Structure formats: structure tokens, C-alpha cells
């Protein structure tokens, strides 16, 4: 994937906010970002920036998960692994998503 100078600047800004730039092999058209137990995929935009692709998510064993409702509660599920979507994990994910969205906003 080729990125523009503006996109490189955005990735540098994310690093200053303690986000790590990572690759998720199944999503090679996107840029992965993670911090702690949370991650998101960024989609390059024609305007030169990035948008969040899908929803930020919790990592399980280094894999992106999906939030699911099962008969006995809410879970983050990746492949055959699952973690309960506890209040603490949801709070961590919500904070990650808010801080990522803020860091992606254009700067003057």
C-alpha cells in the first residue's frame, strides 16, 4: 500500500499518542493501529486522510475480534477463542475508540 505524505504525517501523530502501527495480514488494504488490548483498521481516503474501517475492537491472541451476544452474555470472539465483554474491557475499548477518533481529526 502506498501512502501520501499527509497520511505518513497522520501515522506519525498516532505514534506520538502511543498508538502502534501494525499489520493484520487478512486486511492488507488497511493500516492497523493498536494500543494495549485494542485495535482498529484505518482505510486510506481520497482526501489524503484515514477513516476508521468498521469498528475498533478488542484483540484476542493478537487477532481482531467481533463483539457478539450469546445466550449467557456479551463476548469478544476471534476464531475459536472468546473473552467476556466485561465493563472494564468495554471501557478500555470505548476510550481507545474515542482517543483514536480524536487523533485522526485534522490539525491546523
Amino acid at each position: 500500500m502506498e501512502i501520501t505524505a499527509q497520511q505518513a504525517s497522520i501515522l506519525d501523530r498516532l505514534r506520538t499518542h502511543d498508538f502502534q502501527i501494525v499489520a493484520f495480514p487478512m486486511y492488507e488494504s488497511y493500516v492497523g493501529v493498536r494500543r494495549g488490548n485494542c485495535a482498529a483498521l484505518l482505510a486510506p481516503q481520497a482526501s489524503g486522510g484515514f477513516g476508521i474501517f468498521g469498528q475498533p475492537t478488542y484483540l484476542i491472541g493478537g487477532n481482531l475480534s467481533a463483539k457478539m451476544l450469546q445466550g449467557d452474555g456479551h463476548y469478544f470472539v476471534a476464531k475459536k477463542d472468546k473473552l467476556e465483554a466485561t465493563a472494564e474491557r468495554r471501557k478500555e475499548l470505548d476510550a481507545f475508540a474515542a482517543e483514536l477518533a480524536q487523533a485522526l481529526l485534522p490539525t491546523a
Side-chain angles (χ1 to χ4, degrees):
M1 166 192 318
E2 291 187 35
I3 60 171
T4 66
Q6 180 182 355
Q7 290 167 332
S9 175
I10 292 167
L11 295 178
D12 286 339
R13 186 170 68 237
L14 289 173
R15 283 188 201 97
T16 66
H17 290 278
D18 297 324
F19 290 97
Q20 297 174 315
I21 308 305
V22 296
F24 292 103
M26 290 182 60
Y27 301 96
E28 60 189 40
S29 298
Y30 302 96
V31 174
V33 292
R34 77 173 285 178
R35 185 166 65 189
N37 296 308
C38 301
L41 297 171
L42 302 180
Q45 296 184 329
S47 64
F50 287 103
I52 299 173
F53 177 77
Q55 297 290 321
T57 190
Y58 210 79
L59 291 169
I60 301 176
N63 296 309
L64 299 170
S65 70
K67 189 174 176 187
M68 301 185 77
L69 174 62
Q70 296 184 342
D72 58 347
H74 290 269
Y75 291 89
F76 295 110
V77 179
K79 298 186 179 183
K80 294 182 180 182
D81 299 320
K82 71 179 182 178
L83 286 174
E84 184 179 354
T86 63
E88 183 178 311
R89 289 182 179 127
R90 290 191 313 266
K91 182 178 177 183
E92 180 183 4
L93 181 57
D94 290 346
F96 170 85
E99 292 170 27
L100 177 59
Q102 182 67 33
L104 289 173
L105 290 175
T107 59

